[in-house]
Amino acid sequence: MLTSGVAIGSISGAYGQQTAKPPVVGFLVAGTQASHGAWVAAFVERLAKVGWTDGRNVKIEYRWGAGDVRQITEFAAEFVRLKVDVIVTSAYGVVAAKQATSSIPIVFAAYGDAVANGIVASLARPGGNVTGLSIQPGELSSKRLELMRDIIPNVRRFAALVNTNYSGVTQEVIGIRAAAARLNVEANILEIQTADDIDAAMATLTGETDALYVYSEPLTNANKAKIIKVATAARIPTIFGFREFVDAGGLISYGANFIDLFARAAEFTDKILRGATPADMPIQQPVKFDLIINLKSAKALGLNISETFLTRADEVIE
């Protein structure tokens, strides 16, 4: 699998030796090579399996947005100027690409409620130039809070770190508040928009919350080391949507398998490169969901997680 930033970002000199110009895929990565590199590599690997190899019969141009909305918007406009054949992206990159072009096909590897956010007309018939894989953030947020209650039965208040720049945040917050009311716990929504906002938000947590729910998207993913370091020092249990947060020392994650989503996005891209139109390609949803628990983090926090709960996990990091 292609994993290194150098390998992912390189463009082969073979293009100059080809007589026919290969199609160009503009990969607008919402995060960084550290946060999204493995997902991008899964896309590249699957794309090669279905017949498109970077440097041979397709050219992939990469732009890394690092969770910066302004930078992502500029990259989307750049791809339009370059007249790429298809744009592949996720998260806020979907909004930026949609705003930049109504003609270049767009494939999103992961996005929230694409219908509610006006990205597509319907799941079955998207219409327009956008298709891909949609997750349902409100439903998942409710499940995560239930899992948090199972691990921390005495939780009475929790903080939710959410990036208000991300268009899917509305459904996420609705789901968080609804689940909190049902579980009879207090929800404190901490709004952020930049990396600097994260520092200020995290500084308010000590002694004020029993757990931290992190809305997992490119900005928080790119800054996960900082988030986890502060939460661990304050002995605050954490729950996330991406397993990468748990690999980095977070307590628990539950959500769609993003390696699988990005690999499946390559299949959409393949069809478009062969002549299909996004308007007629139904939006798909995740089929793999993972519950990951970091037992080392639990022990550091003084949490005893029952064997019954551990058996529910898809993976336990020890």
Side-chain angles (χ1 to χ4, degrees), residues 144 214-216 239-243 245 252-256 258:
R144 292 185 191 112
V214 177
Y215 179 32
S216 303
I239 186 163
F240 308 92
F242 303 161
R243 70 155 298 147
F245 286 85
I252 181 174
S253 69
Y254 177 76
F258 277 70

Side-chain angles (χ1 to χ4, degrees), residues 27-32 36 40 62-67 72 75 88-90:
F27 208 133
L28 177 51
V29 189
T32 64
H36 284 56
V40 172
Y62 300 91
R63 300 293 184 272
W64 304 86
I72 291 169
F75 285 150
V88 179
T89 189
S90 64

Side-chain angles (χ1 to χ4, degrees), residues 198-214:
I198 293 175
D199 291 319
M202 296 297 293
T204 69
L205 295 180
T206 303
E208 297 297 326
T209 189
D210 300 319
L212 175 64
Y213 177 109
V214 177

Side-chain angles (χ1 to χ4, degrees), residues 63-147:
R63 300 293 184 272
W64 304 86
D68 185 323
V69 171
R70 180 177 299 179
Q71 185 70 81
I72 291 169
T73 301
E74 291 175 357
F75 285 150
E78 180 186 2
F79 279 154
V80 174
R81 292 194 299 271
L82 291 174
K83 298 180 180 179
V84 300
D85 294 277
V86 57
I87 296 173
V88 179
T89 189
S90 64
Y92 184 79
V94 182
V95 177
K98 177 68 173 175
Q99 291 174 345
T101 178
S102 59
S103 57
I104 297 175
I106 299 167
V107 173
F108 56 85
Y111 186 70
D113 193 329
V115 176
N117 292 325
I119 300 297
V120 300
S122 72
L123 296 181
R125 294 188 64 83
N129 62 321
V130 186
T131 188
L133 297 117
S134 178
I135 57 177
Q136 301 301 315
E139 298 172 13
L140 292 175
S141 60
S142 179
K143 177 66 175 179
R144 292 185 191 112
L145 292 189
E146 291 172 2
L147 291 168

Side-chain angles (χ1 to χ4, degrees), residues 252-253 290-293 307-317:
I252 181 174
S253 69
D290 296 328
L291 172 60
I292 314 295
I293 301 171
E307 287 296 327
T308 301
F309 190 91
L310 290 175
T311 59
R312 297 163 57 186
D314 295 280
E315 183 177 341
V316 177
I317 298 173

Side-chain angles (χ1 to χ4, degrees), residues 185-209:
V185 295
E186 176 185 336
N188 179 25
I189 307 298
L190 303 176
E191 298 183 355
I192 59 171
Q193 292 187 337
T194 68
D196 290 339
D197 295 338
I198 293 175
D199 291 319
M202 296 297 293
T204 69
L205 295 180
T206 303
E208 297 297 326
T209 189

Side-chain angles (χ1 to χ4, degrees), residues 27 38 43 54 68 76 97 100 108 121 126 139 172 176 181 183 193 195 231 248 272 299 309:
F27 208 133
F43 170 89
D54 186 19
D68 185 323
F108 56 85
E139 298 172 13
E172 184 85 4
I176 290 171
L183 297 172
Q193 292 187 337
I272 289 172
K299 291 177 180 176
F309 190 91

